[in-house]
Amino acid sequence: MDESVMASFWGPVTSTTELCEANYTHSSYIAEFYNTISNVPGILLALIGIINAVRQGFEKRFSALHLFNMILAVGSMLFHATLQLVWQQSDETPMVWEILLYMYVLYSPDWHYRSTMPTFLVLYGATFAVLHFFLRFGVMFKLHYVGLSLLCLPRMYKYYIQTKDHAAKRIAKLYVATLLLASVGWVVDRALCKKMTGWYINPQGHAWWHVLMGFNSYFANTFLMFCRAQQRGWNPCIEKMFGFLPYVKISKPEKKD
């Protein structure tokens, strides 16, 4: 939203999207201050997830999931800090890549032709990146992203009804709750922007979207790690870090000589 009060270090806005936050109100280096710093929780949660996945010897796909969450948050920070088109695409393209990775994690355990799924998803992701770079999808990007996300929900629900552990089910419910709350923040920020410009305090709906989606991704990954550990017979249980943050603790059976 163009109401800058400082000179822009990054030059004129070239992105095709601006959110409901006045530009350069806190620093000449950060266009949308709250939309930028609100990605920090997602980065920290992704780092915690990577450390837990590596330390306990989970499959590399889960380290990759957390890493993609971090890459996406960093890309979002760069976009909102600069409002430059090149960084907008560094935010949007990893969003699609991340969903493709979720599709692999969700569906690969039951996929009989192991090489076909990753090959197809990699080619799909690369093709999208090239097309998005040249064609600069707008509304179509959002519809495409929502469509891919909806493809993940049936398998997430299947895992939910198959899971008997109450603590794991609670994480799945937190995943749904954060997704709904984040969506409310996103919609309010987009739909009521003109009205909010006259308010004394901007509720920063898009910034809340970032914060809540950081937790949402962490909860999704944690639930999937629990389900995968069950499939592998690793005796998973849910523990709490810092007294409130759930994570999966596993106990792999000893290998027999």
Side-chain angles (χ1 to χ4, degrees), residues 17-36:
T17 300
E18 285 189 80
L19 286 304
C20 195
E21 180 180 355
N23 299 343
Y24 299 104
T25 58
H26 292 75
S27 169
S28 60
Y29 297 98
I30 302 177
E32 296 176 344
F33 181 79
Y34 293 106
N35 287 340
T36 300

Side-chain angles (χ1 to χ4, degrees), residues 118-163:
T119 301
F120 171 77
L121 293 177
V122 168
L123 291 175
Y124 188 99
T127 302
F128 170 81
V130 173
L131 291 176
H132 189 38
F133 178 80
F134 287 106
L135 301 180
R136 302 178 183 180
F137 301 125
V139 175
M140 286 302 298
F141 164 78
K142 296 179 177 65
L143 294 175
H144 175 243
Y145 180 75
V146 170
L148 291 177
S149 300
L150 290 175
L151 291 176
C152 296
L153 293 182
R155 184 51 63 97
M156 285 288 282
Y157 180 69
K158 178 183 177 181
Y159 283 168
Y160 175 80
I161 61 177
Q162 289 179 342
T163 301

Side-chain angles (χ1 to χ4, degrees), residues 5-6 87 153 174:
V5 296
M6 294 185 182
W87 295 118
L153 293 182
L174 287 171

Side-chain angles (χ1 to χ4, degrees), residues 96-226:
V96 172
W97 290 348
E98 181 187 51
I99 288 295
L100 295 176
L101 181 57
Y102 274 114
M103 293 176 67
Y104 172 74
V105 171
L106 284 164
Y107 289 98
S108 62
D110 297 329
W111 194 262
H112 299 293
Y113 306 99
R114 293 184 175 260
S115 63
T116 56
M117 178 179 284
T119 301
F120 171 77
L121 293 177
V122 168
L123 291 175
Y124 188 99
T127 302
F128 170 81
V130 173
L131 291 176
H132 189 38
F133 178 80
F134 287 106
L135 301 180
R136 302 178 183 180
F137 301 125
V139 175
M140 286 302 298
F141 164 78
K142 296 179 177 65
L143 294 175
H144 175 243
Y145 180 75
V146 170
L148 291 177
S149 300
L150 290 175
L151 291 176
C152 296
L153 293 182
R155 184 51 63 97
M156 285 288 282
Y157 180 69
K158 178 183 177 181
Y159 283 168
Y160 175 80
I161 61 177
Q162 289 179 342
T163 301
K164 305 303 180 184
D165 187 273
H166 293 294
K169 281 182 172 288
R170 194 175 302 116
I171 293 174
K173 292 175 182 177
L174 287 171
Y175 161 78
V176 174
T178 50
L179 178 60
L180 292 176
L181 288 173
S183 299
V184 169
W186 190 90
V187 170
V188 168
D189 191 80
R190 301 293 291 181
L192 302 180
C193 184
K194 291 183 179 180
K195 291 184 178 180
M196 289 191 295
T197 54
W199 295 1
Y200 182 71
I201 297 177
N202 184 338
Q204 304 296 344
H206 196 79
W208 282 110
W209 158 268
H210 289 156
V211 173
L212 290 167
M213 288 305 293
F215 278 95
N216 175 265
S217 297
Y218 179 83
F219 292 144
N221 297 353
T222 302
F223 179 69
L224 291 176
M225 290 168 72
F226 181 92

